[in-house]
Amino acid sequence: MTANPNPAPDIRKATMPIRRDIAFKLPAERATNWHGMGEQVTVFMNTLSLFFPHGERFFIDSIRHYRDAEQIDDPELQQAVRAFIGQEAMHGREHDEFNAMVDDAGLPVLELEAKVKTLLDFLQAHLPPSMQLSATCALEHWTAIMGGMLLDNPEVFDGSEPRFRDMWMWHAMEETEHKGVAFDVYRAVLGKGVKAETLRATGLVLATLLFWALVFNFHPKMMKALQQQQATQGKRKRRGLRQRVRGLVDLAQFTVGTKPGFLRALLPEYLSYFRPGFHPWDVDNRHHLEGVEALAERYAA
Ligand SMILES: [Fe+2]
Ligand SMILES: [Fe+2]
């Protein structure tokens, strides 16, 4: 008997995702300052959040297309797809609530979300389904490696409001749990030939450029709105230069520095996606799922 050179299918069986109905009931008064590293990092995370509801519906649609066309034969993969859809729908619901709360706090979340929706509607109308699925796998790679980073470095949330922290941890755990599903659908319907691998790599390049260009375009808009709103409310007349520089240094530390410098730290894992034959479960981080049921119980809807 030869050893299985690719353990991914076994891991998939061991990590069948489960839809969990969770409601965090976040405290609205902390919407713009919940992260332990202050407003810049809070608003950066809030900016990431505004992509989730429409983005995750795009992921669901791109997979549903192949499921409805009955191109997924494997019953276990069909079951995983059902759970994937359930999990992403739940993430969308919680992030919708979160985003509405941040919008109520005076940040232009709904306006920016509408831009994301317009873009995704355009892509859905003009890209072939295979490219949409490739983009989904690419962005699922991003959510999986970012989620893995948060779970590897829970101290990132030191000093954060606990409910907000737990919401991000829950999302990170479930992104880990279902990280192979879109990818397995891609393999099942498009295979692993040169054409499929090229389309997969192209999807990652384009999705990365588009996603981060929007994040770094939206984040200053969100910060500006927060500062204007605080000035209007008289909460803060004028931020001193030192305070502004401090906020930017914290954000730089968080993204490319050492606390945890996630964009820098994630580069090797990000690049591994380009390796022919890559599979998300090549990195076996199932241990991150250990606390998910306890978390789900604590916040059961
Ligand atoms: Fe998600
Ligand atoms: Fe996901």
Side-chain angles (χ1 to χ4, degrees):
M1 211 170 98
T2 52
N4 181 3
N6 180 3
D10 296 334
I11 295 183
R12 193 185 84 213
K13 281 178 200 165
T15 55
M16 182 61 74
I18 300 163
R19 177 187 174 279
R20 301 177 183 87
D21 198 355
I22 290 187
F24 285 93
K25 298 184 176 60
L26 301 169
E29 68 280 5
R30 296 293 302 273
T32 57
N33 198 5
W34 58 264
H35 195 281
M37 287 174 80
E39 282 175 352
Q40 283 278 358
V41 174
T42 297
V43 173
F44 183 79
M45 299 293 282
N46 290 0
T47 305
L48 290 182
S49 173
L50 77 85
F51 288 88
F52 287 129
H54 291 301
E56 293 181 320
R57 274 166 218 141
F58 177 92
F59 300 168
I60 290 171
D61 289 345
S62 74
I63 289 178
R64 244 189 209 143
H65 168 85
Y66 288 99
R67 188 195 65 178
D68 294 351
E70 297 183 358
Q71 291 190 43
I72 303 169
D73 299 327
D74 176 355
E76 276 180 7
L77 185 53
Q78 288 170 348
Q79 188 189 341
V81 163
R82 270 194 301 279
F84 173 91
I85 291 172
Q87 286 193 341
E88 293 294 31
M90 209 53 65
H91 301 170
R93 187 189 76 186
E94 286 306 295
H95 280 273
D96 264 337
E97 238 174 68
F98 175 95
N99 295 346
M101 203 175 70
V102 179
D103 193 84
D104 283 346
L107 276 66
V109 174
L110 299 184
E111 182 194 321
L112 297 175
E113 270 194 304
K115 287 183 200 265
V116 173
K117 182 169 178 354
T118 304
L119 173 71
L120 292 175
D121 285 349
F122 177 84
L123 295 178
Q124 246 174 356
H126 293 90
L127 290 179
S130 56
M131 188 66 214
Q132 293 181 40
L133 183 59
S134 170
T136 293
C137 291
L139 291 164
E140 280 286 292
H141 181 54
W142 267 113
T143 56
I145 63 176
M146 287 196 289
M149 186 279 304
L150 293 179
L151 296 164
D152 278 334
N153 303 281
E155 69 279 6
V156 164
F157 288 111
D158 280 357
S160 299
E161 201 289 325
R163 285 181 171 261
F164 285 89
R165 176 199 63 209
D166 288 349
M167 191 192 87
W168 285 94
M169 292 308 243
W170 159 71
H171 198 166
M173 285 175 182
E174 292 199 342
E175 288 303 319
T176 302
E177 193 174 42
H178 73 226
K179 70 178 178 174
V181 177
F183 198 91
D184 287 337
V185 171
Y186 187 91
R187 284 284 189 240
V189 298
L190 296 165
K192 46 164 63 171
V194 174
K195 200 173 156 198
E197 291 295 68
T198 308
L199 181 70
R200 192 166 71 75
T202 310
L204 184 63
V205 173
L206 296 178
T208 300
L209 291 174
L210 204 54
F211 175 61
W212 289 108
L214 288 174
V215 170
F216 285 105
N217 178 267
F218 287 178
H219 177 248
K221 289 185 168 64
M222 297 270 281
M223 274 312 295
K224 194 172 169 196
L226 177 63
Q227 285 156 9
Q228 280 171 347
Q229 208 238 7
Q230 287 172 336
T232 321
Q233 290 182 345
K235 281 187 187 162
R236 179 164 60 189
K237 290 205 168 51
R238 202 172 166 73
R239 293 206 318 158
L241 183 63
R242 185 183 292 188
Q243 208 181 348
R244 278 193 220 193
V245 170
R246 183 63 216 252
L248 288 172
V249 167
D250 281 348
L251 183 63
Q253 282 280 37
F254 188 70
T255 52
V256 293
T258 53
K259 278 168 62 184
F262 77 89
L263 284 176
R264 179 188 49 73
L266 289 179
L267 192 62
E269 258 198 275
Y270 169 75
L271 293 174
S272 70
Y273 190 86
F274 291 109
R275 184 173 48 75
F278 163 89
H279 191 280
W281 281 113
D282 290 343
V283 174
D284 182 359
N285 56 355
R286 280 175 285 177
H287 62 282
H288 284 324
L289 303 176
E290 279 160 18
V292 70
E293 295 305 341
L295 194 70
E297 219 164 277
R298 201 167 344 133
Y299 292 102

